Amino acid sequence: MFIPEIPNNSLTDEITQIVELSKKLEDEGYYFDYDPPATEEELSSWEKEHSITIPESIKDWLRFSGYSNICNELAIIKGVKAFKIDCELVPDEMVIIGEVIGDGQFIGFSKENGEIMWEDHGEVTRLKSFDIFLKDTVIRMLQDS
């Protein structure tokens, strides 16, 4: 498994925990895929093209991995080229950046205020930052695997 260099940013602790759990679980037969980081040019180009600001906490993840498949699609964080805007499956304000658990749940952010949004079959949970999603969902589920 390729693991990009862990950046020194707001998600360093969460990324480090996920990487350590990934190494352990890969040895047990789980699949992980981490692409190289997104470039600053890719991030700013997407923002300019869509006139939407990507929350800093999501940028910090993308500075680690431009696309991630964490533990057999437990969570998929897509690269900016695969972000979805104006998808009829989620509220109009939500930019989809990935999927959770592979059963129709989406993770994204509000293009209006940058709040992290988790859409679960019609129910939306709003989080202040992406690190909360990583800690309370991804890391917790990896620890339970």
Side-chain angles (χ1 to χ4, degrees), residues 19-138:
V19 165
E20 289 170 2
L21 288 163
S22 298
K23 289 176 183 176
K24 175 186 168 200
L25 291 170
E26 184 186 45
D27 290 343
E28 296 175 19
Y30 292 91
Y31 177 76
F32 294 83
D33 184 18
Y34 298 105
D35 281 1
T39 65
E40 293 301 320
E41 182 180 331
E42 289 172 315
L43 299 173
S44 63
S45 292
W46 187 91
E47 289 179 322
K48 287 176 187 169
E49 179 181 340
H50 299 285
S51 299
I52 298 171
T53 300
I54 302 169
E56 197 62 30
S57 59
I58 292 174
K59 286 183 189 178
D60 280 351
W61 178 268
L62 295 170
R63 290 174 177 128
F64 162 64
S65 177
Y67 166 88
S68 310
N69 177 344
I70 303 170
C71 197
N72 300 348
E73 299 182 359
L74 173 96
I76 294 176
I77 311 302
K78 300 179 180 192
V80 291
K81 292 178 183 174
F83 284 5
K84 292 183 183 174
I85 302 169
D86 300 324
C87 177
E88 62 188 40
L89 300 173
V90 299
D92 290 342
E93 73 178 286
M94 185 173 177
V95 176
I96 298 173
I97 67 160
E99 300 168 22
V100 185
I101 309 175
D103 72 346
Q105 297 180 46
F106 300 100
I107 190 72
F109 65 92
S110 167
K111 57 187 171 185
E112 296 169 5
N113 61 22
E115 282 182 316
I116 306 305
M117 300 174 71
W118 181 357
E119 193 278 341
D120 180 0
H121 301 94
E123 184 177 324
V124 175
T125 302
R126 294 174 182 268
L127 307 168
K128 293 188 188 295
S129 182
F130 195 59
D131 69 317
I132 295 169
F133 167 74
L134 294 175
K135 284 187 253 189
D136 293 351
T137 303
V138 176

